[in-house]
């Protein structure tokens, strides 16, 4: 189960709860699709190539958004975390 963490507070930086397992099923909270794809990759539900494609797609989606936007802030944090994981592939 993947749950999207959202907030209506500008720049609110609401913490994302850590993942957990309930009855052997993963419960994953994420802020961006890259964060969700990263968790899926770590759980071996997605390939590293799939994660790379999600990163590319997310960046294209925000192409017209100002880099000062909270959306970019969240996305870049998740991309940094994803790149660390991708170094192992």
């Amino acid at each position: 189960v993947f749950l999207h963490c959202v907030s209506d507070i500008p720049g609110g930086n609401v913490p994302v709860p850590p993942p957990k397992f309930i009855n052997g099923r993963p419960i994953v909270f994420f802020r961006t699709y890259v964060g969700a794809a990263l968790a899926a990759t770590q759980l071996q539900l997605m390939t590293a190539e799939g994660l790379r494609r999600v990163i590319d797609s997310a960046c294209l989606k925000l192409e017209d958004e100002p880099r000062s936007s909270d959306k970019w802030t969240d996305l870049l944090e998740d991309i940094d975390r994803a790149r660390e994981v991708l170094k192992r592939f």
Side-chain angles (χ1 to χ4, degrees):
V1 176
F2 287 77
L3 299 172
H4 194 182
C5 294
V6 296
S7 171
D8 62 351
I9 303 167
N13 201 8
V14 175
V16 176
K20 58 178 127 186
F21 284 83
I22 297 177
N23 293 329
R25 306 274 188 233
I27 309 295
V28 177
F29 301 89
F30 65 94
R31 191 172 277 130
T32 69
Y33 289 125
V34 171
L38 172 59
T41 302
Q42 291 171 317
L43 291 165
Q44 299 179 350
L45 300 172
M46 177 181 273
T47 65
E49 181 55 34
L51 175 55
R52 287 183 188 95
R53 283 184 291 183
V54 171
I55 291 170
D56 292 344
S57 178
C59 289
L60 284 174
K61 182 78 172 168
L62 291 185
E63 202 170 48
D64 296 328
E65 192 77 30
R67 286 287 182 143
S68 58
S69 160
D70 290 342
K71 293 177 183 178
W72 272 109
T73 302
D74 292 341
L75 180 61
L76 292 173
E77 284 178 17
D78 284 346
I79 288 173
D80 285 344
R81 292 186 318 115
R83 286 189 175 142
E84 286 301 312
V85 169
L86 288 171
K87 287 178 183 177
R88 293 183 235 152
F89 290 95

